Amino acid sequence: MMTERENALEVLHWGRPDHVPLTTEAIQLVGMIPGDLDGPMKGGTDLFGVPWVPGKEGAMVKPGYTMFDDICDWDRYIKRPDLSVYDFKKFAEMEYGMVDSSDKVRTLFCQNGLFMRLVNSMGFMEGLAALAIEPEKCMDLFDYLTGYVIDYMERAIDAYHPDMVTYFEDIATASSLFMSLETYREILKPFHKKIVDYVHSKGLLFQMHTCGKCEDVMEDYVDIGVDAWHSAQCSNDIEAVQVRFEGRLVVEGGWDSQGKPGLITADEKEVREETRRCLETYGKHRGFILCPLIFNEKGNSLLVGDDRFAYIKDEWKKFQGISE
């Protein structure tokens, strides 16, 4: 029988897996220490000088903060951090000493994508207005930031030796994309392609994290070579995405994170039922990884843990006939 790592790699490479992988058993986010410099989870200032405040749902940019309000001035304020001052290999040694990920698929944590860096600096309203009013200036900024992203990835990949890169780019709300597809294709897509191409040049898989209702952009993601989508939420027609892009786009997610199964109050019955629903609905299609996302009093369970994962794991094993 395959190990969970081997089984998940079969799914990611469209091979012949034994069963539907469970994220908490098969996949490990790595690069959390340098990632914390780029968006400090406990609050503080990131590498670009942006202040963050902690919260149970995760850290966020300090409310009301703006670095500048005119996109034409971006080059006066945004400077690429000098990453040579950080010892990424030491970070990796520390992380791997704390968490044994050798039996899991290692995916490099890369938060705050190009769009997120724009709105982190200007605020959402001003950032979205900039996309519409000054698209060329936004593209200049994204080109500059792409150089930083690739520099960051090069150092982190060399230190952590991951199997995959998970790049966070939240360009959607709970009901739609933040921008039109035309805007995405003109202003962001070319730079996303450069990043994907770089990751592929290193022989790694590329996973795009975009939560919210973002199914409309999946065709573009597949077009630029995205291998997997994380974390697919129920506001999307996940099955339609699975059918349309079978063999081209792995889907990690499925959990009703905005409904009862995702809440602090979710009980054993609810999480077991949700586990079965995901496996019955999405697990019948190839290229699916179940990623349960529930919140507790400490925050996001994937980051802080949760006792209810025991119910999910038990139901996942029973449903698929997995033995120890």
Side-chain angles (χ1 to χ4, degrees), residues 16-124:
R16 299 177 66 86
D18 289 336
H19 54 270
V20 173
L22 179 62
T23 294
T24 51
E25 296 298 305
I27 296 178
Q28 179 69 49
L29 274 175
V30 301
M32 302 301 287
I33 296 176
D36 196 45
L37 297 172
D38 204 27
M41 296 179 190
K42 294 181 181 179
T45 303
D46 68 21
L47 294 176
F48 285 83
V50 175
W52 291 67
V53 293
K56 289 183 178 179
E57 296 79 14
M60 62 182 292
V61 174
K62 183 178 179 180
Y65 172 80
T66 54
M67 183 180 289
F68 54 90
D69 55 16
D70 186 342
I71 189 62
C72 295
D73 294 333
W74 73 262
D75 56 347
R76 292 172 51 194
Y77 295 91
I78 294 185
K79 304 298 179 184
R80 290 207 306 241
D82 178 9
L83 295 175
S84 68
V85 302
Y86 299 101
D87 190 340
F88 279 74
K89 291 186 178 180
K90 184 177 181 180
F91 290 155
E93 289 173 3
M94 291 171 60
E95 232 171 287
Y96 289 151
M98 293 184 287
V99 178
D100 182 8
S101 59
S102 58
D103 290 332
K104 293 185 178 182
V105 173
R106 292 172 171 174
T107 185
L108 183 67
F109 176 59
C110 292
Q111 65 172 329
N112 291 317
L114 307 179
F115 173 73
M116 296 309 300
R117 184 56 61 190
L118 169 69
V119 297
N120 288 351
S121 303
M122 297 187 70
F124 271 94

Side-chain angles (χ1 to χ4, degrees), residues 90-238:
K90 184 177 181 180
F91 290 155
E93 289 173 3
M94 291 171 60
E95 232 171 287
Y96 289 151
M98 293 184 287
V99 178
D100 182 8
S101 59
S102 58
D103 290 332
K104 293 185 178 182
V105 173
R106 292 172 171 174
T107 185
L108 183 67
F109 176 59
C110 292
Q111 65 172 329
N112 291 317
L114 307 179
F115 173 73
M116 296 309 300
R117 184 56 61 190
L118 169 69
V119 297
N120 288 351
S121 303
M122 297 187 70
F124 271 94
M125 184 172 69
E126 293 81 3
L128 289 170
L131 291 175
I133 298 169
E134 294 284 354
E136 291 185 359
K137 289 293 183 181
C138 290
M139 292 179 75
D140 289 342
L141 171 59
F142 293 153
D143 184 49
Y144 182 76
L145 290 174
T146 296
Y148 164 74
V149 170
I150 290 175
D151 182 24
Y152 179 94
M153 287 182 174
E154 181 176 17
R155 296 172 188 275
I157 288 169
D158 183 53
Y160 283 87
H161 305 291
D163 305 289
M164 179 166 68
V165 169
T166 299
Y167 170 84
F168 284 64
E169 190 75 276
D170 283 321
I171 60 171
T173 71
S175 58
S176 67
L177 296 175
F178 274 114
M179 64 200 74
S180 69
L181 277 175
E182 291 73 18
T183 296
Y184 172 75
R185 289 167 180 164
E186 176 187 353
I187 302 176
L188 264 172
K189 185 176 178 179
F191 303 104
H192 282 166
K193 186 177 188 306
K194 286 184 180 180
I195 295 169
V196 174
D197 286 347
Y198 173 75
V199 171
H200 285 164
S201 76
K202 305 297 285 186
L204 305 178
L205 293 160
F206 184 96
Q207 179 168 250
M208 182 76 84
H209 167 92
T210 305
C211 51
K213 188 172 175 57
C214 55
E215 60 190 293
D216 289 347
V217 81
M218 289 302 124
E219 181 177 350
D220 295 277
Y221 282 0
V222 171
D223 181 54
I224 61 175
V226 171
D227 299 296
W229 167 33
H230 174 279
S231 50
Q233 293 181 299
C234 295
S235 53
N236 301 279
D237 188 343
I238 295 174

Side-chain angles (χ1 to χ4, degrees), residues 292-313:
L293 178 57
I294 51 182
F295 282 86
N296 57 40
E297 64 281 355
K298 294 181 180 179
N300 184 332
S301 59
L302 289 177
L303 298 176
V304 301
D306 196 294
D307 292 342
R308 292 168 292 181
F309 280 154
Y311 305 139
I312 296 170
K313 180 180 178 180

Side-chain angles (χ1 to χ4, degrees), residues 11 14-15 222 227 238-251 284-288:
V11 171
W14 297 95
V222 171
D227 299 296
I238 295 174
E239 279 199 274
V241 171
Q242 289 181 293
V243 171
R244 182 176 181 187
F245 300 112
E246 181 179 354
R248 294 185 288 166
L249 184 71
V250 170
V251 173
K284 65 188 178 187
H285 300 283
R286 298 174 64 217
F288 176 65

Side-chain angles (χ1 to χ4, degrees), residues 266-269 271-272 275 307-316:
D267 58 25
E268 178 180 352
K269 180 174 181 290
V271 297
R272 285 185 181 275
T275 303
D307 292 342
R308 292 168 292 181
F309 280 154
Y311 305 139
I312 296 170
K313 180 180 178 180
D314 183 59
E315 201 63 40
W316 165 75

